[in-house]
Each structure stands twice: as C-alpha cells, then as structure tokens.
Coordinates of all heavy atoms in Angstrom, one line a residue:
I1 N -58.4 -87.5 -112.5 CA -59.7 -87.1 -111.7 C -61.0 -87.4 -112.4 O -61.1 -87.3 -113.6 CB -59.6 -85.4 -111.6 CG1 -58.2 -85.0 -111.0 CG2 -60.7 -85.0 -110.9 CD1 -58.0 -83.6 -111.1
D2 N -61.9 -87.8 -111.6 CA -63.2 -88.2 -112.2 C -64.0 -86.9 -112.1 O -64.0 -86.1 -111.2 CB -63.9 -89.2 -111.3 CG -63.3 -90.6 -111.4 OD1 -62.7 -90.8 -112.5 OD2 -63.4 -91.4 -110.4
A3 N -64.8 -86.6 -113.0 CA -65.6 -85.4 -113.1 C -66.7 -85.4 -112.2 O -67.3 -86.5 -111.8 CB -66.2 -85.2 -114.6
G4 N -67.1 -84.3 -111.7 CA -68.4 -84.1 -110.8 C -68.9 -82.8 -111.1 O -68.9 -82.3 -112.3
N5 N -69.8 -82.3 -110.2 CA -70.5 -81.1 -110.3 C -70.1 -80.0 -109.4 O -70.9 -79.1 -109.0 CB -72.1 -81.3 -110.2 CG -72.4 -81.8 -108.8 OD1 -71.6 -82.2 -108.0 ND2 -73.7 -82.0 -108.6
Q6 N -68.9 -80.1 -108.8 CA -68.4 -79.1 -107.9 C -67.2 -78.4 -108.4 O -66.4 -78.9 -109.2 CB -68.1 -79.9 -106.5 CG -69.3 -80.4 -105.9 CD -69.0 -81.1 -104.5 OE1 -68.0 -81.8 -104.4 NE2 -69.8 -80.8 -103.5
T7 N -67.1 -77.2 -107.9 CA -65.8 -76.4 -108.2 C -65.5 -75.6 -106.9 O -66.2 -75.8 -105.8 CB -66.1 -75.4 -109.4 OG1 -64.8 -74.7 -109.7 CG2 -67.1 -74.3 -109.0
E8 N -64.5 -74.7 -107.0 CA -64.1 -74.0 -105.8 C -64.2 -72.5 -106.1 O -64.0 -72.0 -107.2 CB -62.7 -74.3 -105.4 CG -62.6 -75.8 -104.9 CD -61.2 -76.1 -104.4 OE1 -60.6 -75.2 -103.8 OE2 -60.8 -77.3 -104.6
G9 N -64.5 -71.7 -105.1 CA -64.7 -70.3 -105.2 C -63.3 -69.5 -105.1 O -62.2 -70.1 -105.1
H10 N -63.4 -68.2 -104.9 CA -62.2 -67.3 -104.8 C -61.4 -67.8 -103.6 O -61.9 -68.2 -102.6 CB -62.7 -65.9 -104.5 CG -61.6 -64.9 -104.6 ND1 -60.7 -64.7 -103.6 CD2 -61.3 -63.9 -105.5 CE1 -59.8 -63.7 -103.9 NE2 -60.3 -63.2 -105.1
R11 N -60.0 -67.9 -103.9 CA -59.2 -68.4 -102.8 C -59.3 -67.8 -101.4 O -59.2 -68.3 -100.4 CB -57.7 -68.3 -103.3 CG -56.7 -69.1 -102.4 CD -55.3 -68.8 -102.8 NE -54.9 -69.6 -104.0 CZ -54.6 -70.9 -104.1 NH1 -54.6 -71.5 -102.9 NH2 -54.4 -71.4 -105.3
F12 N -59.5 -66.4 -101.3 CA -59.6 -65.7 -100.1 C -61.1 -65.2 -99.8 O -61.4 -65.2 -98.6 CB -58.7 -64.5 -100.2 CG -57.3 -64.8 -100.6 CD1 -56.8 -64.4 -101.8 CD2 -56.5 -65.7 -99.8 CE1 -55.5 -64.7 -102.1 CE2 -55.2 -65.9 -100.2 CZ -54.7 -65.4 -101.3
L13 N -61.9 -64.7 -100.7 CA -63.2 -64.1 -100.5 C -64.3 -65.1 -100.4 O -65.3 -64.8 -99.7 CB -63.5 -63.1 -101.6 CG -62.4 -62.0 -101.8 CD1 -62.9 -61.0 -103.0 CD2 -62.3 -61.1 -100.6
A14 N -64.1 -66.3 -101.0 CA -65.1 -67.3 -100.9 C -64.5 -68.8 -101.0 O -64.8 -69.5 -101.9 CB -66.1 -67.2 -102.0
P15 N -63.6 -69.0 -100.1 CA -62.9 -70.3 -100.2 C -64.0 -71.4 -99.9 O -64.9 -71.3 -99.2 CB -61.9 -70.2 -99.0 CG -62.5 -69.3 -98.0 CD -63.3 -68.2 -98.9
G16 N -63.5 -72.6 -100.4 CA -64.2 -73.8 -100.1 C -64.9 -74.3 -101.5 O -64.9 -73.6 -102.6
V17 N -65.6 -75.5 -101.4 CA -66.2 -76.2 -102.4 C -67.7 -75.9 -102.5 O -68.3 -75.8 -101.5 CB -66.0 -77.7 -102.3 CG1 -66.7 -78.5 -103.5 CG2 -64.5 -78.0 -102.2
F18 N -68.2 -75.7 -103.7 CA -69.6 -75.5 -103.9 C -70.1 -76.2 -105.1 O -69.4 -76.5 -106.0 CB -70.2 -74.0 -103.7 CG -69.8 -73.3 -105.0 CD1 -70.8 -72.9 -105.9 CD2 -68.4 -72.7 -105.1 CE1 -70.4 -72.3 -107.1 CE2 -68.2 -72.0 -106.3 CZ -69.2 -71.8 -107.2
T19 N -71.4 -76.5 -105.2 CA -72.0 -77.3 -106.2 C -72.6 -76.3 -107.3 O -73.2 -75.3 -107.0 CB -73.1 -78.2 -105.7 OG1 -72.5 -79.1 -104.8 CG2 -73.7 -79.0 -106.8
I20 N -72.3 -76.6 -108.6 CA -73.0 -75.9 -109.7 C -74.3 -76.7 -110.0 O -74.2 -77.9 -110.4 CB -72.1 -75.9 -110.9 CG1 -70.8 -75.1 -110.6 CG2 -72.8 -75.3 -112.0 CD1 -71.1 -73.6 -110.3
S21 N -75.5 -76.2 -109.9 CA -76.6 -76.8 -110.0 C -77.0 -77.3 -111.4 O -77.6 -78.3 -111.8 CB -77.8 -76.0 -109.5 OG -78.0 -74.8 -110.2
N22 N -76.6 -76.5 -112.4 CA -76.9 -76.6 -113.9 C -76.0 -75.9 -114.7 O -75.3 -74.9 -114.3 CB -78.3 -76.0 -114.1 CG -78.8 -76.4 -115.5 OD1 -78.3 -75.9 -116.5 ND2 -79.9 -77.3 -115.6
A23 N -75.7 -76.5 -115.8 CA -74.5 -75.9 -116.8 C -74.8 -74.5 -117.1 O -74.0 -73.7 -117.2 CB -74.4 -76.8 -118.0
D24 N -76.1 -74.1 -117.3 CA -76.5 -72.8 -117.5 C -76.3 -71.7 -116.5 O -76.2 -70.6 -116.8 CB -78.1 -72.7 -118.0 CG -78.3 -73.3 -119.4 OD1 -77.5 -73.1 -120.2 OD2 -79.3 -74.0 -119.5
Q25 N -76.1 -72.2 -115.2 CA -76.0 -71.3 -114.1 C -74.5 -71.1 -113.7 O -74.3 -70.4 -112.7 CB -76.7 -72.0 -112.9 CG -78.2 -72.0 -113.1 CD -78.8 -70.7 -113.3 OE1 -78.6 -69.7 -112.6 NE2 -79.7 -70.7 -114.4
Y26 N -73.6 -71.7 -114.5 CA -72.1 -71.6 -114.1 C -71.6 -70.2 -113.9 O -71.2 -69.9 -112.8 CB -71.3 -72.3 -115.2 CG -69.9 -72.3 -115.0 CD1 -69.2 -73.0 -114.1 CD2 -69.1 -71.4 -115.8 CE1 -67.9 -73.0 -113.8 CE2 -67.7 -71.4 -115.6 CZ -67.1 -72.2 -114.7 OH -65.7 -72.1 -114.5
E27 N -71.8 -69.3 -114.9 CA -71.2 -68.0 -114.7 C -71.9 -67.2 -113.6 O -71.3 -66.6 -112.8 CB -71.4 -67.2 -116.1 CG -70.7 -65.8 -116.0 CD -70.7 -65.2 -117.4 OE1 -71.4 -65.7 -118.3 OE2 -70.0 -64.2 -117.6
N28 N -73.3 -67.3 -113.6 CA -74.0 -66.6 -112.6 C -73.7 -67.0 -111.2 O -73.5 -66.3 -110.2 CB -75.5 -66.8 -112.9 CG -76.5 -66.0 -111.8 OD1 -76.3 -64.9 -111.6 ND2 -77.2 -66.9 -111.2
E29 N -73.6 -68.3 -110.9 CA -73.3 -68.9 -109.6 C -71.9 -68.5 -109.1 O -71.6 -68.4 -108.0 CB -73.6 -70.4 -109.5 CG -75.1 -70.6 -109.7 CD -75.5 -72.1 -109.4 OE1 -74.6 -73.0 -109.3 OE2 -76.6 -72.6 -109.4
L30 N -71.0 -68.6 -110.1 CA -69.6 -68.3 -109.7 C -69.5 -66.8 -109.2 O -68.8 -66.5 -108.3 CB -68.6 -68.5 -110.9 CG -68.0 -69.9 -111.1 CD1 -67.1 -70.0 -112.3 CD2 -67.3 -70.3 -109.9
Q31 N -70.3 -65.9 -109.9 CA -70.1 -64.5 -109.5 C -70.9 -64.2 -108.3 O -70.4 -63.5 -107.4 CB -70.8 -63.7 -110.7 CG -69.8 -63.7 -111.9 CD -70.3 -62.7 -113.0 OE1 -69.8 -62.6 -114.1 NE2 -71.3 -61.9 -112.7
S32 N -72.1 -64.9 -108.1 CA -72.9 -64.5 -106.9 C -72.5 -65.4 -105.6 O -72.6 -64.8 -104.5 CB -74.5 -64.9 -107.2 OG -74.5 -66.3 -107.6
K33 N -71.9 -66.6 -105.8 CA -71.7 -67.4 -104.6 C -70.2 -67.5 -104.4 O -69.7 -67.7 -103.2 CB -72.2 -68.8 -104.8 CG -73.7 -68.9 -105.0 CD -74.1 -70.4 -105.2 CE -75.6 -70.6 -105.3 NZ -75.8 -72.0 -105.6
A34 N -69.4 -67.3 -105.5 CA -68.0 -67.6 -105.4 C -66.9 -66.4 -105.5 O -65.8 -66.6 -105.4 CB -67.6 -68.8 -106.3
K35 N -67.5 -65.3 -105.7 CA -66.6 -64.0 -105.9 C -65.6 -64.3 -107.1 O -64.4 -64.0 -106.9 CB -65.9 -63.6 -104.6 CG -66.7 -63.1 -103.5 CD -67.3 -61.7 -103.9 CE -68.1 -61.2 -102.7 NZ -68.5 -59.8 -103.0
V36 N -66.1 -64.8 -108.2 CA -65.3 -65.2 -109.3 C -66.0 -64.6 -110.6 O -67.2 -64.9 -110.8 CB -65.0 -66.7 -109.4 CG1 -64.3 -66.9 -110.8 CG2 -64.2 -67.2 -108.3
I37 N -65.3 -63.8 -111.4 CA -65.7 -63.5 -112.7 C -65.1 -64.3 -113.7 O -63.9 -64.1 -114.0 CB -65.4 -62.0 -113.1 CG1 -66.1 -61.0 -112.0 CG2 -65.9 -61.6 -114.4 CD1 -65.6 -59.6 -112.1
P38 N -65.7 -65.4 -114.2 CA -65.0 -66.4 -114.9 C -64.6 -66.0 -116.4 O -63.7 -66.5 -116.9 CB -66.0 -67.6 -115.0 CG -67.4 -66.9 -114.8 CD -67.2 -65.7 -113.9
S39 N -65.4 -65.1 -116.9 CA -65.2 -64.6 -118.4 C -63.9 -63.8 -118.3 O -63.8 -62.7 -117.7 CB -66.4 -63.9 -118.9 OG -65.9 -63.3 -120.1

C-alpha cells in the first residue's frame, strides 16, 4: 500500500473515508469526525 493522508472512521457510526489535514489533528479529528477514540 502507498501511504496517503486518509483513514476511515467508525465502522457503523461514521463509516467512510476522510482526510486528516495535519499530523497534529489526528486524535482530535478522529474523535470529532469519525467517532473513534484512538488512544
């Protein structure tokens, strides 16, 4: 797989692909946009 700037959200609550705008925003964007607590 080639690396990119996209990941996927919660399988049921926020399905689909979305873009992480900046490395510093990873945890915040997963929680606010993707219904995922990554830690």
